[in-house]
Amino acid sequence: MGQPPTSPSPPRPAGAGVGDATRCGFVAVVGEPNAGKSTLLNRLTGAKLSIVTPKAQTTRFRVLGILMHGGSQVLLVDTPGIFAPKRRLDRAMVAAAWTGVRDADLTLLLVDAKAGVTEGVRAIVAALMEQKRRCWLVLNKVDLVPAQSLLPLTAALIALAPFEQTFMVSAVTGDGVTALAEALAAAVPEGPHLYPDDDLTDLPERLLAAEIVREQVFLQTHEEVPYATTVETENWQDRPDGSVRIDATVYVARPGHKAILIGERGQRIKTIGARAREQLATLLERKVHLFLNVKQRAGWDEETARLRAIGLDDPG
Ligand SMILES: Nc1nc2c(ncn2[C@@H]2O[C@H](COP(=O)(O)OP(=O)(O)OP(=O)(O)O)[C@@H](O)[C@H]2O)c(=O)[nH]1
Ligand SMILES: [Mg+2]
């Protein structure tokens, strides 16, 4: 048998099978603070793009993660957790989450299977329904609960809203994540890829550096300190030897917090810097010289310029 006649066709991106069209679409990941949204984004993209800590309200702005699967480019949007906001910073975070949903072709509602159907989850489902968004349900942290609890939990949630599909995953162990990736790749609409196929995120490196430092602040300080802290990259200098010098400022809202962050004999800020530098060297694949400066700036969390500096539009 000879080869079937070939007809001229436009070049296809690597990975697309014959007969497949390319696909591309935005998928917003929403849920309560601490549901595991950022962990799932990192797991799906196979890269650490969005910072993760055991504390709620870690993510402050939308983070794009690009998942390539076959001929599909799935543009995953990690969002801040949705909660009842008080400060201007909080309002801007929640507004960023809803903008993520409005701009998306599909929304994943991530629910912590251990926490179950909380008031917060009910409120988010109601708001999603009001906006008439295409929505899938993803139960996360299935490694923490007995398997027999998942069915009643799913039933309770699908009674609240007509989710198109339900998935059960563990973003930490990776359980169920491949099935979700495959379903997403098939579900995004046909269309050209919007980003180069080897890009992982649209996050600028300066912002990524500030986030990695903020992650260490979240991990190494407690109570209100992490929530009253923000980090900005002030200076980025590529050196001729291939290394990079990064200067970042850690802003704290209250005088007492400065002393806590610096720690006895500067020990805490030293540890924050050392761990952040290690992480950055891995992420940027080069040697990193990181210099941290702690400054007090009362009311930064109500300041438009500071919110803009961390990528949040001012909600007014
Ligand atoms: N056991 C278990 N822990 C998980 C899982 N997914 C996330 N976590 C943990 O849950 C905590 C919160 O994870 P994040 O990914 O920061 O949660 P988030 O939804 O992005 O939180 P915010 O950014 O604050 O809204 C971290 O300690 C994660 O390690 C999971 O599948 N199983
Ligand atoms: Mg997060």
Side-chain angles (χ1 to χ4, degrees):
M1 287 256 284
Q3 291 289 315
T6 50
S7 56
S9 61
R12 292 174 187 285
V18 174
D20 293 341
T22 63
R23 293 179 171 275
C24 183
F26 285 92
V27 176
V29 185
V30 300
E32 283 196 286
N34 218 41
K37 301 176 292 298
S38 302
T39 311
L40 181 65
L41 177 103
N42 293 343
R43 171 65 72 165
L44 279 166
T45 57
K48 174 158 177 179
L49 304 174
S50 197
I51 64 171
V52 169
T53 81
K55 294 189 174 70
Q57 299 170 31
T58 297
T59 303
R60 287 186 179 159
F61 50 82
R62 275 171 287 154
V63 176
L64 183 75
I66 301 167
L67 163 66
M68 294 299 307
H69 196 99
S72 294
Q73 185 173 70
V74 182
L75 305 169
L76 293 157
V77 184
D78 184 19
T79 65
I82 296 170
F83 58 101
K86 288 194 193 78
R87 300 179 294 174
R88 192 167 190 170
L89 168 67
D90 300 338
R91 287 201 297 280
M93 283 162 56
V94 173
W98 285 117
T99 305
V101 171
R102 270 192 299 279
D103 295 345
D105 298 291
L106 173 68
T107 299
L108 303 183
L109 172 64
L110 198 63
V111 174
D112 178 338
K114 187 144 190 241
V117 192
T118 60
E119 275 313 303
V121 167
R122 284 179 194 278
I124 297 169
V125 173
L128 281 170
M129 288 305 101
E130 215 168 90
Q131 299 195 15
K132 300 195 171 46
R133 308 309 304 185
R134 266 189 83 189
C135 199
W136 293 3
L137 174 64
V138 181
L139 296 184
N140 187 34
K141 309 196 185 182
V142 300
D143 55 300
L144 296 181
V145 296
Q148 63 268 26
S149 71
L150 292 172
L151 226 49
L153 177 57
T154 307
L157 284 159
I158 58 180
L160 297 178
F163 295 104
E164 283 180 15
Q165 297 200 47
T166 302
F167 294 84
M168 296 174 190
V169 305
S170 167
V172 159
T173 67
D175 212 18
V177 172
T178 306
L180 176 60
E182 278 166 7
L184 289 172
V188 290
E190 278 188 20
H193 294 177
L194 296 176
Y195 290 84
D197 285 353
D198 50 5
D199 276 13
L200 285 172
T201 182
D202 68 344
L203 202 64
E205 286 184 334
R206 291 174 74 109
L207 206 51
L208 184 77
E211 282 291 277
I212 295 296
V213 174
R214 197 167 64 80
E215 180 175 53
Q216 289 305 322
V217 173
F218 260 64
L219 291 172
Q220 298 184 43
T221 65
H222 305 287
E223 290 164 16
E224 61 167 337
V225 181
Y227 300 103
T229 302
T230 187
V231 181
E232 289 179 27
T233 301
E234 307 289 353
N235 188 40
W236 182 288
Q237 190 191 357
D238 294 307
R239 290 183 164 176
D241 65 0
S243 69
V244 57
R245 176 189 168 126
I246 302 168
D247 291 86
T249 301
V250 182
Y251 287 106
V252 296
R254 278 169 270 294
H257 292 173
K258 186 168 174 177
I260 292 171
L261 260 172
I262 292 172
E264 235 175 273
R265 292 191 299 280
Q267 207 46 52
R268 186 167 281 122
I269 194 69
K270 218 164 149 187
T271 314
I272 289 171
R275 301 234 170 106
R277 187 180 51 72
E278 265 168 40
Q279 292 254 343
L280 278 167
T282 309
L283 275 170
L284 301 170
E285 295 177 318
R286 57 207 281 207
K287 191 166 178 183
V288 172
H289 310 274
L290 177 64
F291 295 87
L292 299 180
N293 189 9
V294 184
K295 277 192 195 156
Q296 191 214 328
R297 192 174 180 113
W300 69 261
D301 50 355
E302 301 284 343
E303 231 181 273
T304 307
R306 296 278 74 69
L307 300 186
R308 289 232 169 92
I310 58 171
L312 284 171
D313 301 327
D314 185 15

